[in-house]
Amino acid sequence: GLPAALVVLQLVFGSVVAGLLPMLLAIVSIVVALALLALVGQPFPLSVFATNMLTAIGLALGIDYSLFVLARYREERIRGLSELDAVRMAGATASRAVLFSGIAFTLAMVGLLLVQSTIMRSLAVGAIVAGLASLAAALTLLPALLGLLGDRVDALRIPLFGRSATRGESPFWSKAVRAVTRRPVISLLAVTAVLLALALPVLNLSSGEAGVSTLPDRVAAKQGFVALGEEFPGQTTDPVEVVIDGDASSAAVRDGIERLEARLREEPVFGDPQEERSDAGDLTVLSVPIRGDAHGDPAIEAVRRLRAELIPTSFRDGAVVLVTGETAESIDASDTMDDWLPIVIAFVLGLSLVLLTVAFRSVVVAAKAIAVNLLSVGAAYGVLVLVFQEGVGNDLLGFQQVDTIESWVPLFLFAVLFGLSLDYHVFLLSRVRERFASTGDNSDAVAYGVSSTGRIITGAALIIIAVFSGFARGDLVMFQQMGFGCAVALLLDATIVRLALVPAAMELLGDRNWYLPASLRWLPDVHVEGAARARSR
């Protein structure tokens, strides 16, 4: 991700020094976040994946937050403010937007802490410490560096890009958004139809876990798995373990074990069970080989049937029977993710609605932001199912077709994508709100907000897309799905959503965008008041 981010930053800023500054902030944020993670890891066990998550989010947010503040500083210098006044104005406007963006992202990640899974909580902790470190660096270290560097931040201009990168409004984004706002109904319906069509395949989403059969053929574990299946049919390295907690000498328990063993021998997917008993005779374990991949559909269906049908009909009383092993763990992990998904969604949406209402003094803007982000996430889910489950274009993209989407991916994608999408939404709406407060013209405010932030948001999104695309290029299907899903959602979010859907909706709503119930009129307009105080100085 670092080389790709460096190229994008140079194109956005047109200056070597300005392009390197966000990279420096990202590296500092990652180092600080790793130190924080080490402290958290002392009393709590963390998965090794926490460091992967921390590095990716630290690189993405560390660059994004710095990019937003630095872009506003350069814009204020072009308008004629002194170096220190430009730093103050950037702090009163862009830094406030970054603060709310960081809070929104953190809240989205806090939702993952609710899930009773060490891996999900580890990913959440890694993302949270990276987000907090990036936020702290953008609000403290970056203004200090800008105060020291001043206009030297634009040193070493890049030919062809240097001049265009210093303009406040982007001509391309300005023309595009004005074309959208001239025909808001058509734009809104067209983009919504596209996103809903992309989201439609999510109705066929099947969650599970990828097994050894999904690994590339060159991997030694996959080669051993194939050889074992060919030469020793019915044998496995991951047998199903049936644990019978009860007096094995009692007639009821012995009859139940015999009935279960007989039923298991009738099932073609199971091998011959091997019985083992504890010394005290109060615990019996049946080790049952299962044919094929322990995470494959046949194994999953067989273990579910074992739990739901075979065991209840074999044991009438006298024992507690539990099923464990790789397949059973995969089923329970998938069920846990499915159970927690609606809870996490409700938690994140509720907190986001409150935060955005406070940030922009508008219930309508907050509700619209949530609806738009849900469309982006839904489209990402649909494309994920289309490519990986249905196999549409998977060969072209270098992915393999599988039976299921990894069970943790939908939950993870929702939290990460919702947090990152709100980043861009807050940054865009901050400019719209600031302009509307000074002119009172909703159409002009929307056009100005999109055109002045379009290049920056696109650059920020491209950087994060590059980071997550690295995961999609790996061999593990779970990370391919995660990286591809994130990249697709952010690409949609930073282009047709920000370019067409958001401005079209805001144009149609007009002044109703800023509706706030009388009971909430006491909320301060933090973006406008901060900018006004900075100008008065």
Side-chain angles (χ1 to χ4, degrees):
L2 284 171
L6 184 59
V7 172
V8 173
L9 286 170
Q10 300 304 323
L11 296 178
V12 170
F13 287 118
S15 161
V16 173
V17 175
L20 289 175
L21 196 56
M23 297 285 288
L24 172 64
L25 270 292
I27 293 171
V28 170
S29 300
I30 290 172
V31 173
V32 172
L34 285 171
L36 293 174
L37 190 68
L39 294 177
V40 176
Q42 300 305 309
F44 303 105
L46 294 174
S47 165
V48 67
F49 294 127
T51 56
N52 298 76
M53 183 70 168
L54 182 152
T55 307
I57 296 299
L59 184 62
L61 295 185
I63 291 176
D64 277 8
Y65 292 162
S66 304
L67 192 153
F68 294 158
V69 177
L70 181 55
R72 186 58 186 259
Y73 167 80
R74 298 174 85 209
E75 186 178 329
E76 297 302 331
R77 285 291 292 138
I78 294 171
R79 290 178 177 172
L81 292 184
S82 67
E83 292 178 356
L84 290 181
D85 285 341
V87 173
R88 293 191 187 100
M89 180 60 75
T93 54
S95 293
R96 287 177 182 270
V98 165
L99 176 61
F100 280 102
S101 296
I103 295 173
F105 178 81
T106 302
L107 291 178
M109 292 300 104
V110 167
L112 294 183
L113 291 176
L114 301 175
V115 184
Q116 296 177 357
S117 165
T118 299
I119 291 181
M120 295 304 292
R121 289 174 174 173
S122 298
L123 292 174
V125 170
I128 288 171
V129 296
L132 293 177
S134 301
L135 189 60
L139 298 181
T140 58
L141 179 58
L142 181 56
L145 290 174
L146 289 176
L148 291 172
L149 290 173
D151 287 341
R152 290 191 296 275
V153 75
D154 283 327
L156 303 178
R157 291 285 184 87
I158 299 175
L160 301 179
F161 295 101
R163 178 173 297 181
S164 62
T166 58
R167 295 174 182 168
E169 294 187 59
S170 167
F172 167 77
W173 287 97
S174 181
K175 292 178 182 177
V177 71
R178 294 187 188 281
V180 168
T181 54
R182 280 197 296 268
R183 299 177 179 83
V185 175
I186 295 176
S187 301
L188 180 67
L189 293 178
V191 175
T192 302
V194 169
L195 292 175
L196 289 176
L198 291 175
L200 193 59
V202 78
L203 299 175
N204 298 324
L205 188 148
S206 175
S207 64
E209 291 192 14
V212 65
S213 61
T214 63
L215 293 173
D217 292 338
R218 67 176 184 278
V219 177
K222 173 69 172 293
Q223 296 170 4
F225 167 75
V226 173
L228 180 66
E230 291 176 349
E231 302 298 331
F232 299 92
Q235 298 300 312
T236 179
T237 58
D238 303 310
V240 176
E241 305 282 353
V242 182
V243 182
I244 301 104
D245 185 5
D247 185 1
S249 62
S250 69
V253 173
R254 284 306 318 163
D255 291 344
I257 292 175
E258 291 174 2
R259 281 192 294 267
L260 179 60
E261 289 180 345
R263 296 287 302 275
L264 288 171
R265 291 189 180 96
E266 295 174 357
E267 297 287 334
V269 72
F270 291 119
D272 290 332
Q274 302 295 319
E275 184 177 331
E276 186 176 0
R277 190 180 304 172
S278 67
D279 294 337
D282 58 352
L283 197 71
T284 305
V285 176
L286 296 181
S287 183
V288 188
I290 193 163
R291 301 179 190 276
D293 190 344
H295 294 275
D297 278 352
I300 296 292
E301 293 173 5
V303 172
R304 286 192 183 276
R305 190 168 63 256
L306 173 63
R307 283 175 162 177
E309 300 176 15
L310 303 187
I311 289 176
T313 56
S314 298
F315 291 87
R316 298 180 176 88
D317 53 37
V320 175
V321 185
L322 304 171
V323 180
T324 185
E326 282 286 325
T327 308
E329 291 173 9
S330 174
I331 292 172
D332 293 341
S334 179
D335 290 346
T336 298
M337 298 302 167
D338 291 343
D339 292 342
W340 278 98
L341 181 59
I343 298 174
V344 172
I345 290 176
F347 176 83
V348 173
L349 293 185
L351 288 182
S352 299
L353 181 64
V354 173
L355 176 67
L356 292 174
T357 301
V358 172
F360 296 105
R361 297 186 83 248
S362 170
V363 176
V364 175
V365 163
K368 178 178 59 61
I370 289 174
V372 166
N373 287 338
L374 284 176
L375 275 175
S376 297
V377 174
Y381 283 178
V383 173
L384 207 59
V385 172
L386 199 65
V387 172
F388 285 93
Q389 275 189 221
E390 307 297 336
V392 177
N394 64 309
D395 291 333
L396 182 64
L397 296 169
F399 303 137
Q400 59 178 307
Q401 184 177 359
V402 292
D403 295 328
T404 60
I405 301 299
E406 197 72 14
S407 59
W408 59 268
V409 167
L411 185 59
F412 173 86
L413 281 183
F414 171 79
V416 172
L417 294 177
F418 202 83
L420 293 176
S421 295
L422 282 181
D423 265 358
Y424 305 143
H425 213 84
V426 168
F427 187 60
L428 168 61
L429 290 178
S430 297
R431 300 306 298 270
V432 175
R433 177 64 182 168
E434 185 182 336
R435 183 78 166 195
F436 179 78
S438 62
T439 65
D441 187 336
N442 180 76
S443 298
D444 174 70
V446 172
Y448 174 78
V450 174
S451 60
S452 61
T453 62
R455 186 178 67 251
I456 304 301
I457 289 178
T458 304
L462 287 176
I463 291 169
I464 301 182
I465 289 171
V467 171
F468 282 106
S469 294
F471 287 99
R473 292 178 60 83
D475 290 332
L476 297 179
V477 170
M478 64 181 75
F479 288 121
Q480 290 179 355
Q481 293 174 354
M482 183 266 283
F484 180 71
C486 286
V488 167
L490 291 173
L491 182 62
L492 292 172
D493 193 74
T495 52
I496 62 172
V497 170
R498 296 287 166 256
L499 174 63
L501 187 59
V502 172
M506 296 193 76
E507 178 68 19
L508 287 172
L509 290 169
D511 292 347
R512 292 185 294 275
N513 281 303
W514 313 108
Y515 169 75
L516 188 70
S519 59
L520 297 177
R521 297 284 170 81
W522 54 270
L523 290 174
D525 198 337
V526 291
H527 297 288
V528 176
E529 291 176 5
R533 282 196 296 269
R535 288 192 181 94
S536 66
R537 293 195 183 104

